[in-house]
């Protein structure tokens, strides 16, 4: 369901919960509608979002050096680090609101997370099949994505 429909669905008991980041707790007043939040070991989450700043390489190469310099100064590792730090920080107020409302933040142990991940593998397997049927190497894409997430993830 669309996120804006979640508060009403929770208040009417149509759903028991949802996988959402803490950052949406305050705007949707979810701390008033939930008693529990769940996070993984060491603050881990149940998904990873990927955002991309991309440009056609030939078009980039055709730009004058001064414009390339502007793009280079506003992209790359430094920008990704800055955005990541901002994103991590935006979670704190929502988590604090959940705790302040009396809601409990439950931390799942590694064994429980492994069980959760095992269930998710069915979804991944279906995605790989779909990607393969469209002429892609689904397993290679999943492996590359997982390797990148692991390389760029940090434990809190």
């Amino acid at each position: 369901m669309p996120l804006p429909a979640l508060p009403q669905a929770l208040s009417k008991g149509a759903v028991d919960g949802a996988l959402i980041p803490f950052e949406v707790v305050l705007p949707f007043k979810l701390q008033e509608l939930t008693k529990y939040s769940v996070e993984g070991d060491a603050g881990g989450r149940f998904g990873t979002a990927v955002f991309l700043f991309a440009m056609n390489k030939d078009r980039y190469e055709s730009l004058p050096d001064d414009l390339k310099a502007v793009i280079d100064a506003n992209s790359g590792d430094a920008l990704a680090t800055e955005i990541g730090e901002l994103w991590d920080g935006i979670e704190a107020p929502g988590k604090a609101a959940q705790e302040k409302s009396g809601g409990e933040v439950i931390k799942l142990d590694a064994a429980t997370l492994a069980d959760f991940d095992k269930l998710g593998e069915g979804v991944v397997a279906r995605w790989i099949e779909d990607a393969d049927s469209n002429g892609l190497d689904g397993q290679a894409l999943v492996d590359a994505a997982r390797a990148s997430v692991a390389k760029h993830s940090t434990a809190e």
Side-chain angles (χ1 to χ4, degrees):
M1 78 176 49
L3 183 58
L6 182 59
Q8 184 175 11
L10 284 167
S11 68
K12 290 185 175 191
V15 298
D16 293 325
L19 287 174
I20 55 167
F22 282 112
E23 72 180 272
V24 300
V25 168
L26 285 170
F28 289 96
K29 300 182 180 181
L30 299 178
Q31 75 277 13
E32 298 172 9
L33 300 168
T34 57
K35 295 178 184 175
Y36 305 98
S37 292
V38 179
E39 65 182 358
D41 212 15
R45 301 294 188 261
F46 297 99
T48 299
V50 176
F51 290 88
L52 178 68
F53 177 68
M55 182 175 189
N56 177 287
K57 185 175 182 177
D58 291 336
R59 181 68 181 127
Y60 173 83
E61 295 297 336
S62 74
L63 294 173
D65 288 342
D66 63 329
L67 293 180
K68 286 183 195 175
V70 170
I71 290 171
D72 293 347
N74 292 284
S75 63
D77 289 343
L79 178 64
T81 298
E82 180 182 350
I83 299 283
E85 290 169 356
L86 288 170
W87 197 327
D88 286 346
I90 205 167
E91 291 279 274
K95 186 174 178 180
Q98 179 69 31
E99 292 169 332
K100 185 177 178 184
S101 73
E104 181 180 357
V105 178
I106 300 168
K107 293 186 184 256
L108 299 181
D109 61 32
T112 304
L113 279 174
D115 290 342
F116 189 89
D117 290 343
K118 186 176 178 181
L119 292 171
E121 285 303 314
V123 175
V124 174
R126 286 193 308 272
W127 185 90
I128 290 170
E129 287 177 19
D130 188 47
D132 289 349
S133 72
N134 285 296
L136 302 170
D137 185 346
Q139 187 64 58
L141 290 168
V142 167
D143 292 345
R146 286 179 170 164
S148 183
V149 168
K151 178 182 177 184
H152 298 288
S153 293
T154 57
E156 293 179 25

